[in-house]
Amino acid sequence: MEKLTGLKKIKTAIFISGTGSNLNNIIKFSKQKKSPISIDLIVSNTLDAKGLKYAEQFHIKKKIFNFKNDEKKILLSLKKEKIKFICLAGFMKILSKEFIKKFNKKIINIHPSLLPKYKGLNTHSRAIKNKDKLTGCTVHYVTASLDSGKIILQKKVKIAAKDNLTSLAKKVLTLEHKLYPAAIMKIFN
Ligand code: GAR
């Protein structure tokens, strides 16, 4: 991955679909001097994404697209904003092969499991159902194959006997907020 030169931060877009707690966390991280990235665009596939409020709060441009037919428009937007790097943060759509190719090794994702375990949806309920003792989260490169790109960083947490879906999701999310900035630092330093 390209090294940081001088003081210029790498223009980054964050793609979301929902609450945006990772988005909020990455924006705050990006404002620190040590951050290699700046957040210049927020992209959502739905107007209902609560995380869109952070665009207003932090004065960041936002775009809403229907991802099925809009990839050309999205690419144009990214070009216009000179976006060089993309972080998926709770983004629930699958990007096309062609799109991923255009941003080869420049798209990363956070996934709420210890990949390669539990690719796809409902990771926490699967971990609980299987009586797993450990779970966690993974930041990885995005490739055409779902949740299968090279792992950048992973963090583990214990599943307590009393944990339920809500408590486990909360526990993992707290971990995600540490992992995502650490993974970004690892890539660029
Ligand atoms: C996070 O737990 C993230 O790992 C997960 O959605 C949540 C989004 O939370 N992502 C996926 O499941 C992707 N397949 P947030 O909107 O509060 O950041």
Side-chain angles (χ1 to χ4, degrees), residues 16-23 89-92 109-113 120-124 137 146-147 169 172-173 176-177:
I16 61 164
S17 301
T19 317
S21 73
N22 275 292
L23 166 67
F91 180 67
M92 304 311 273
N109 178 45
I110 190 151
H111 186 77
S113 80
L121 299 175
N122 306 317
T123 56
H124 302 317
C137 47
L146 183 71
D147 298 329
V172 174
L173 207 51
E176 290 183 31
H177 296 163

PDB file of all heavy atoms in Angstrom, residues 16-23 89-92 109-113 120-124 137 146-147 169 172-173 176-177, ligand 1:
ATOM      1  N   ILE A  16     -21.989   3.034   3.938  1.00  0.00           N
ATOM      2  CA  ILE A  16     -22.791   2.541   5.065  1.00  0.00           C
ATOM      3  C   ILE A  16     -24.185   2.102   4.592  1.00  0.00           C
ATOM      4  O   ILE A  16     -24.618   2.453   3.489  1.00  0.00           O
ATOM      5  CB  ILE A  16     -22.972   3.620   6.158  1.00  0.00           C
ATOM      6  CG1 ILE A  16     -23.703   4.869   5.589  1.00  0.00           C
ATOM      7  CG2 ILE A  16     -21.641   4.031   6.748  1.00  0.00           C
ATOM      8  CD1 ILE A  16     -24.265   5.797   6.651  1.00  0.00           C
ATOM      9  N   SER A  17     -24.866   1.388   5.488  1.00  0.00           N
ATOM     10  CA  SER A  17     -26.283   1.065   5.242  1.00  0.00           C
ATOM     11  C   SER A  17     -27.143   1.331   6.472  1.00  0.00           C
ATOM     12  O   SER A  17     -28.360   1.275   6.383  1.00  0.00           O
ATOM     13  CB  SER A  17     -26.446  -0.419   4.881  1.00  0.00           C
ATOM     14  OG  SER A  17     -25.706  -0.759   3.753  1.00  0.00           O
ATOM     15  N   GLY A  18     -26.499   1.553   7.633  1.00  0.00           N
ATOM     16  CA  GLY A  18     -27.310   1.584   8.865  1.00  0.00           C
ATOM     17  C   GLY A  18     -26.883   2.624   9.875  1.00  0.00           C
ATOM     18  O   GLY A  18     -26.680   3.798   9.554  1.00  0.00           O
ATOM     19  N   THR A  19     -26.684   2.169  11.110  1.00  0.00           N
ATOM     20  CA  THR A  19     -26.483   3.060  12.260  1.00  0.00           C
ATOM     21  C   THR A  19     -25.259   3.977  12.132  1.00  0.00           C
ATOM     22  O   THR A  19     -25.290   5.122  12.572  1.00  0.00           O
ATOM     23  CB  THR A  19     -26.315   2.211  13.541  1.00  0.00           C
ATOM     24  OG1 THR A  19     -27.288   1.189  13.503  1.00  0.00           O
ATOM     25  CG2 THR A  19     -26.478   3.028  14.785  1.00  0.00           C
ATOM     26  N   GLY A  20     -24.182   3.435  11.613  1.00  0.00           N
ATOM     27  CA  GLY A  20     -23.012   4.268  11.371  1.00  0.00           C
ATOM     28  C   GLY A  20     -22.124   4.511  12.576  1.00  0.00           C
ATOM     29  O   GLY A  20     -21.386   5.494  12.602  1.00  0.00           O
ATOM     30  N   SER A  21     -22.131   3.602  13.562  1.00  0.00           N
ATOM     31  CA  SER A  21     -21.244   3.831  14.712  1.00  0.00           C
ATOM     32  C   SER A  21     -19.776   3.692  14.291  1.00  0.00           C
ATOM     33  O   SER A  21     -18.917   4.439  14.775  1.00  0.00           O
ATOM     34  CB  SER A  21     -21.574   2.890  15.875  1.00  0.00           C
ATOM     35  OG  SER A  21     -21.157   1.586  15.591  1.00  0.00           O
ATOM     36  N   ASN A  22     -19.496   2.779  13.368  1.00  0.00           N
ATOM     37  CA  ASN A  22     -18.118   2.685  12.852  1.00  0.00           C
ATOM     38  C   ASN A  22     -17.762   3.930  12.049  1.00  0.00           C
ATOM     39  O   ASN A  22     -16.639   4.430  12.140  1.00  0.00           O
ATOM     40  CB  ASN A  22     -17.956   1.435  11.979  1.00  0.00           C
ATOM     41  CG  ASN A  22     -17.648   0.193  12.803  1.00  0.00           C
ATOM     42  OD1 ASN A  22     -16.569   0.079  13.388  1.00  0.00           O
ATOM     43  ND2 ASN A  22     -18.604  -0.724  12.873  1.00  0.00           N
ATOM     44  N   LEU A  23     -18.729   4.429  11.288  1.00  0.00           N
ATOM     45  CA  LEU A  23     -18.507   5.661  10.514  1.00  0.00           C
ATOM     46  C   LEU A  23     -18.113   6.802  11.461  1.00  0.00           C
ATOM     47  O   LEU A  23     -17.093   7.478  11.267  1.00  0.00           O
ATOM     48  CB  LEU A  23     -19.787   6.017   9.748  1.00  0.00           C
ATOM     49  CG  LEU A  23     -19.854   7.423   9.160  1.00  0.00           C
ATOM     50  CD1 LEU A  23     -18.835   7.595   8.041  1.00  0.00           C
ATOM     51  CD2 LEU A  23     -21.251   7.729   8.640  1.00  0.00           C
ATOM     52  N   ALA A  89     -18.416   0.110   6.102  1.00  0.00           N
ATOM     53  CA  ALA A  89     -18.663   0.090   7.546  1.00  0.00           C
ATOM     54  C   ALA A  89     -20.149  -0.171   7.786  1.00  0.00           C
ATOM     55  O   ALA A  89     -20.960   0.754   7.777  1.00  0.00           O
ATOM     56  CB  ALA A  89     -18.234   1.418   8.167  1.00  0.00           C
ATOM     57  N   GLY A  90     -20.475  -1.448   7.919  1.00  0.00           N
ATOM     58  CA  GLY A  90     -21.890  -1.797   8.062  1.00  0.00           C
ATOM     59  C   GLY A  90     -22.623  -1.616   6.745  1.00  0.00           C
ATOM     60  O   GLY A  90     -23.809  -1.306   6.707  1.00  0.00           O
ATOM     61  N   PHE A  91     -21.903  -1.828   5.657  1.00  0.00           N
ATOM     62  CA  PHE A  91     -22.487  -1.695   4.317  1.00  0.00           C
ATOM     63  C   PHE A  91     -22.999  -3.070   3.892  1.00  0.00           C
ATOM     64  O   PHE A  91     -22.234  -4.031   3.845  1.00  0.00           O
ATOM     65  CB  PHE A  91     -21.425  -1.178   3.348  1.00  0.00           C
ATOM     66  CG  PHE A  91     -21.919  -0.995   1.941  1.00  0.00           C
ATOM     67  CD1 PHE A  91     -22.855  -0.016   1.648  1.00  0.00           C
ATOM     68  CD2 PHE A  91     -21.449  -1.798   0.915  1.00  0.00           C
ATOM     69  CE1 PHE A  91     -23.313   0.157   0.345  1.00  0.00           C
ATOM     70  CE2 PHE A  91     -21.899  -1.633  -0.383  1.00  0.00           C
ATOM     71  CZ  PHE A  91     -22.834  -0.664  -0.666  1.00  0.00           C
ATOM     72  N   MET A  92     -24.306  -3.157   3.618  1.00  0.00           N
ATOM     73  CA  MET A  92     -24.924  -4.472   3.464  1.00  0.00           C
ATOM     74  C   MET A  92     -25.213  -4.868   2.019  1.00  0.00           C
ATOM     75  O   MET A  92     -25.956  -5.799   1.759  1.00  0.00           O
ATOM     76  CB  MET A  92     -26.207  -4.554   4.302  1.00  0.00           C
ATOM     77  CG  MET A  92     -25.987  -4.250   5.784  1.00  0.00           C
ATOM     78  SD  MET A  92     -24.605  -5.130   6.556  1.00  0.00           S
ATOM     79  CE  MET A  92     -25.420  -6.637   7.033  1.00  0.00           C
ATOM     80  N   ASN A 109     -13.169  -3.803   4.510  1.00  0.00           N
ATOM     81  CA  ASN A 109     -14.470  -4.024   5.161  1.00  0.00           C
ATOM     82  C   ASN A 109     -14.245  -4.504   6.587  1.00  0.00           C
ATOM     83  O   ASN A 109     -13.234  -5.135   6.877  1.00  0.00           O
ATOM     84  CB  ASN A 109     -15.238  -5.105   4.378  1.00  0.00           C
ATOM     85  CG  ASN A 109     -16.584  -5.429   5.010  1.00  0.00           C
ATOM     86  OD1 ASN A 109     -17.339  -4.528   5.396  1.00  0.00           O
ATOM     87  ND2 ASN A 109     -16.902  -6.708   5.133  1.00  0.00           N
ATOM     88  N   ILE A 110     -15.229  -4.204   7.446  1.00  0.00           N
ATOM     89  CA  ILE A 110     -15.199  -4.804   8.783  1.00  0.00           C
ATOM     90  C   ILE A 110     -16.336  -5.804   8.879  1.00  0.00           C
ATOM     91  O   ILE A 110     -17.463  -5.532   8.442  1.00  0.00           O
ATOM     92  CB  ILE A 110     -15.249  -3.752   9.910  1.00  0.00           C
ATOM     93  CG1 ILE A 110     -14.962  -4.430  11.256  1.00  0.00           C
ATOM     94  CG2 ILE A 110     -16.569  -2.977   9.947  1.00  0.00           C
ATOM     95  CD1 ILE A 110     -14.314  -3.541  12.282  1.00  0.00           C
ATOM     96  N   HIS A 111     -16.015  -6.955   9.439  1.00  0.00           N
ATOM     97  CA  HIS A 111     -17.003  -8.035   9.524  1.00  0.00           C
ATOM     98  C   HIS A 111     -17.073  -8.522  10.978  1.00  0.00           C
ATOM     99  O   HIS A 111     -16.043  -8.752  11.599  1.00  0.00           O
ATOM    100  CB  HIS A 111     -16.595  -9.175   8.589  1.00  0.00           C
ATOM    101  CG  HIS A 111     -17.622 -10.251   8.519  1.00  0.00           C
ATOM    102  ND1 HIS A 111     -18.790 -10.119   7.785  1.00  0.00           N
ATOM    103  CD2 HIS A 111     -17.691 -11.467   9.112  1.00  0.00           C
ATOM    104  CE1 HIS A 111     -19.516 -11.214   7.925  1.00  0.00           C
ATOM    105  NE2 HIS A 111     -18.872 -12.048   8.723  1.00  0.00           N
ATOM    106  N   PRO A 112     -18.309  -8.711  11.491  1.00  0.00           N
ATOM    107  CA  PRO A 112     -18.441  -9.062  12.915  1.00  0.00           C
ATOM    108  C   PRO A 112     -18.296 -10.557  13.206  1.00  0.00           C
ATOM    109  O   PRO A 112     -19.184 -11.166  13.804  1.00  0.00           O
ATOM    110  CB  PRO A 112     -19.849  -8.550  13.250  1.00  0.00           C
ATOM    111  CG  PRO A 112     -20.594  -8.665  11.967  1.00  0.00           C
ATOM    112  CD  PRO A 112     -19.612  -8.465  10.857  1.00  0.00           C
ATOM    113  N   SER A 113     -17.173 -11.125  12.810  1.00  0.00           N
ATOM    114  CA  SER A 113     -16.854 -12.512  13.189  1.00  0.00           C
ATOM    115  C   SER A 113     -15.364 -12.718  13.010  1.00  0.00           C
ATOM    116  O   SER A 113     -14.671 -11.868  12.443  1.00  0.00           O
ATOM    117  CB  SER A 113     -17.610 -13.527  12.320  1.00  0.00           C
ATOM    118  OG  SER A 113     -16.959 -13.678  11.072  1.00  0.00           O
ATOM    119  N   GLY A 120     -20.881 -13.745   5.720  1.00  0.00           N
ATOM    120  CA  GLY A 120     -22.296 -13.441   5.464  1.00  0.00           C
ATOM    121  C   GLY A 120     -23.004 -12.867   6.681  1.00  0.00           C
ATOM    122  O   GLY A 120     -22.396 -12.201   7.508  1.00  0.00           O
ATOM    123  N   LEU A 121     -24.288 -13.174   6.763  1.00  0.00           N
ATOM    124  CA  LEU A 121     -25.156 -12.515   7.760  1.00  0.00           C
ATOM    125  C   LEU A 121     -25.288 -13.318   9.052  1.00  0.00           C
ATOM    126  O   LEU A 121     -24.865 -14.475   9.135  1.00  0.00           O
ATOM    127  CB  LEU A 121     -26.547 -12.300   7.153  1.00  0.00           C
ATOM    128  CG  LEU A 121     -26.602 -11.413   5.902  1.00  0.00           C
ATOM    129  CD1 LEU A 121     -28.015 -11.387   5.338  1.00  0.00           C
ATOM    130  CD2 LEU A 121     -26.130 -10.000   6.204  1.00  0.00           C
ATOM    131  N   ASN A 122     -25.905 -12.684  10.061  1.00  0.00           N
ATOM    132  CA  ASN A 122     -26.292 -13.325  11.335  1.00  0.00           C
ATOM    133  C   ASN A 122     -25.121 -14.005  12.048  1.00  0.00           C
ATOM    134  O   ASN A 122     -25.255 -15.103  12.578  1.00  0.00           O
ATOM    135  CB  ASN A 122     -27.418 -14.351  11.093  1.00  0.00           C
ATOM    136  CG  ASN A 122     -28.585 -13.712  10.367  1.00  0.00           C
ATOM    137  OD1 ASN A 122     -28.977 -12.600  10.694  1.00  0.00           O
ATOM    138  ND2 ASN A 122     -29.114 -14.389   9.371  1.00  0.00           N
ATOM    139  N   THR A 123     -24.002 -13.345  12.066  1.00  0.00           N
ATOM    140  CA  THR A 123     -22.798 -13.948  12.646  1.00  0.00           C
ATOM    141  C   THR A 123     -22.969 -14.242  14.142  1.00  0.00           C
ATOM    142  O   THR A 123     -22.575 -15.296  14.615  1.00  0.00           O
ATOM    143  CB  THR A 123     -21.588 -13.020  12.447  1.00  0.00           C
ATOM    144  OG1 THR A 123     -21.914 -11.751  13.028  1.00  0.00           O
ATOM    145  CG2 THR A 123     -21.261 -12.826  10.982  1.00  0.00           C
ATOM    146  N   HIS A 124     -23.580 -13.289  14.865  1.00  0.00           N
ATOM    147  CA  HIS A 124     -23.681 -13.463  16.322  1.00  0.00           C
ATOM    148  C   HIS A 124     -24.639 -14.598  16.683  1.00  0.00           C
ATOM    149  O   HIS A 124     -24.360 -15.382  17.593  1.00  0.00           O
ATOM    150  CB  HIS A 124     -24.119 -12.161  16.999  1.00  0.00           C
ATOM    151  CG  HIS A 124     -23.191 -11.022  16.724  1.00  0.00           C
ATOM    152  ND1 HIS A 124     -21.830 -11.156  16.750  1.00  0.00           N
ATOM    153  CD2 HIS A 124     -23.431  -9.730  16.395  1.00  0.00           C
ATOM    154  CE1 HIS A 124     -21.267  -9.996  16.450  1.00  0.00           C
ATOM    155  NE2 HIS A 124     -22.226  -9.115  16.226  1.00  0.00           N
ATOM    156  N   CYS A 137     -14.012  -9.715  15.598  1.00  0.00           N
ATOM    157  CA  CYS A 137     -14.257  -8.991  14.350  1.00  0.00           C
ATOM    158  C   CYS A 137     -12.990  -8.987  13.511  1.00  0.00           C
ATOM    159  O   CYS A 137     -11.887  -9.206  14.037  1.00  0.00           O
ATOM    160  CB  CYS A 137     -14.740  -7.576  14.642  1.00  0.00           C
ATOM    161  SG  CYS A 137     -13.776  -6.697  15.868  1.00  0.00           S
ATOM    162  N   LEU A 146     -17.288 -13.032  -1.348  1.00  0.00           N
ATOM    163  CA  LEU A 146     -17.825 -12.410  -0.124  1.00  0.00           C
ATOM    164  C   LEU A 146     -17.024 -12.748   1.147  1.00  0.00           C
ATOM    165  O   LEU A 146     -16.821 -13.928   1.466  1.00  0.00           O
ATOM    166  CB  LEU A 146     -19.289 -12.857   0.077  1.00  0.00           C
ATOM    167  CG  LEU A 146     -20.003 -12.237   1.279  1.00  0.00           C
ATOM    168  CD1 LEU A 146     -20.286 -10.763   1.058  1.00  0.00           C
ATOM    169  CD2 LEU A 146     -21.288 -12.989   1.594  1.00  0.00           C
ATOM    170  N   ASP A 147     -16.594 -11.699   1.857  1.00  0.00           N
ATOM    171  CA  ASP A 147     -15.912 -11.831   3.150  1.00  0.00           C
ATOM    172  C   ASP A 147     -14.698 -12.762   3.103  1.00  0.00           C
ATOM    173  O   ASP A 147     -14.402 -13.457   4.083  1.00  0.00           O
ATOM    174  CB  ASP A 147     -16.905 -12.309   4.230  1.00  0.00           C
ATOM    175  CG  ASP A 147     -18.040 -11.319   4.444  1.00  0.00           C
ATOM    176  OD1 ASP A 147     -17.814 -10.102   4.262  1.00  0.00           O
ATOM    177  OD2 ASP A 147     -19.155 -11.750   4.785  1.00  0.00           O
ATOM    178  N   ALA A 169     -23.553  -8.374  20.332  1.00  0.00           N
ATOM    179  CA  ALA A 169     -23.391  -7.385  19.257  1.00  0.00           C
ATOM    180  C   ALA A 169     -22.718  -6.128  19.811  1.00  0.00           C
ATOM    181  O   ALA A 169     -21.840  -5.544  19.176  1.00  0.00           O
ATOM    182  CB  ALA A 169     -24.743  -7.051  18.645  1.00  0.00           C
ATOM    183  N   VAL A 172     -18.977  -6.809  20.537  1.00  0.00           N
ATOM    184  CA  VAL A 172     -18.176  -6.882  19.306  1.00  0.00           C
ATOM    185  C   VAL A 172     -18.037  -5.488  18.684  1.00  0.00           C
ATOM    186  O   VAL A 172     -16.958  -5.124  18.199  1.00  0.00           O
ATOM    187  CB  VAL A 172     -18.770  -7.901  18.304  1.00  0.00           C
ATOM    188  CG1 VAL A 172     -18.028  -7.855  16.971  1.00  0.00           C
ATOM    189  CG2 VAL A 172     -18.717  -9.310  18.889  1.00  0.00           C
ATOM    190  N   LEU A 173     -19.106  -4.701  18.739  1.00  0.00           N
ATOM    191  CA  LEU A 173     -19.056  -3.355  18.165  1.00  0.00           C
ATOM    192  C   LEU A 173     -18.001  -2.498  18.873  1.00  0.00           C
ATOM    193  O   LEU A 173     -17.259  -1.747  18.230  1.00  0.00           O
ATOM    194  CB  LEU A 173     -20.444  -2.714  18.260  1.00  0.00           C
ATOM    195  CG  LEU A 173     -20.802  -1.643  17.227  1.00  0.00           C
ATOM    196  CD1 LEU A 173     -20.547  -2.105  15.797  1.00  0.00           C
ATOM    197  CD2 LEU A 173     -22.255  -1.232  17.379  1.00  0.00           C
ATOM    198  N   GLU A 176     -14.865  -3.470  17.460  1.00  0.00           N
ATOM    199  CA  GLU A 176     -14.739  -2.967  16.081  1.00  0.00           C
ATOM    200  C   GLU A 176     -14.194  -1.546  16.072  1.00  0.00           C
ATOM    201  O   GLU A 176     -13.406  -1.174  15.209  1.00  0.00           O
ATOM    202  CB  GLU A 176     -16.101  -2.994  15.368  1.00  0.00           C
ATOM    203  CG  GLU A 176     -16.599  -4.384  15.062  1.00  0.00           C
ATOM    204  CD  GLU A 176     -17.918  -4.381  14.294  1.00  0.00           C
ATOM    205  OE1 GLU A 176     -18.176  -3.444  13.516  1.00  0.00           O
ATOM    206  OE2 GLU A 176     -18.701  -5.338  14.469  1.00  0.00           O
ATOM    207  N   HIS A 177     -14.655  -0.762  17.067  1.00  0.00           N
ATOM    208  CA  HIS A 177     -14.237   0.643  17.097  1.00  0.00           C
ATOM    209  C   HIS A 177     -12.743   0.785  17.397  1.00  0.00           C
ATOM    210  O   HIS A 177     -12.145   1.817  17.092  1.00  0.00           O
ATOM    211  CB  HIS A 177     -15.086   1.425  18.109  1.00  0.00           C
ATOM    212  CG  HIS A 177     -16.535   1.468  17.703  1.00  0.00           C
ATOM    213  ND1 HIS A 177     -17.541   1.802  18.575  1.00  0.00           N
ATOM    214  CD2 HIS A 177     -17.143   1.193  16.519  1.00  0.00           C
ATOM    215  CE1 HIS A 177     -18.704   1.733  17.940  1.00  0.00           C
ATOM    216  NE2 HIS A 177     -18.482   1.366  16.697  1.00  0.00           N
TER     217      HIS A 177
HETATM  218  C1  GAR B   1     -21.106  -3.815  12.433  1.00  0.00           C
HETATM  219  O1  GAR B   1     -21.182  -4.786  13.444  1.00  0.00           O
HETATM  220  C2  GAR B   1     -20.390  -4.369  11.220  1.00  0.00           C
HETATM  221  O2  GAR B   1     -19.344  -5.234  11.529  1.00  0.00           O
HETATM  222  C3  GAR B   1     -21.509  -5.104  10.544  1.00  0.00           C
HETATM  223  O3  GAR B   1     -22.637  -4.272  10.686  1.00  0.00           O
HETATM  224  C4  GAR B   1     -22.506  -3.504  11.886  1.00  0.00           C
HETATM  225  C5  GAR B   1     -22.661  -2.050  11.519  1.00  0.00           C
HETATM  226  O4  GAR B   1     -22.690  -1.237  12.651  1.00  0.00           O
HETATM  227  N1  GAR B   1     -21.195  -5.358   9.179  1.00  0.00           N
HETATM  228  C6  GAR B   1     -21.596  -6.434   8.513  1.00  0.00           C
HETATM  229  O5  GAR B   1     -22.297  -7.287   9.008  1.00  0.00           O
HETATM  230  C7  GAR B   1     -21.120  -6.508   7.071  1.00  0.00           C
HETATM  231  N2  GAR B   1     -21.427  -7.755   6.519  1.00  0.00           N
HETATM  232  P1  GAR B   1     -22.543   0.354  12.505  1.00  0.00           P
HETATM  233  O6  GAR B   1     -23.521   0.785  11.396  1.00  0.00           O
HETATM  234  O7  GAR B   1     -22.975   0.886  13.849  1.00  0.00           O
HETATM  235  O8  GAR B   1     -21.122   0.682  12.151  1.00  0.00           O
END
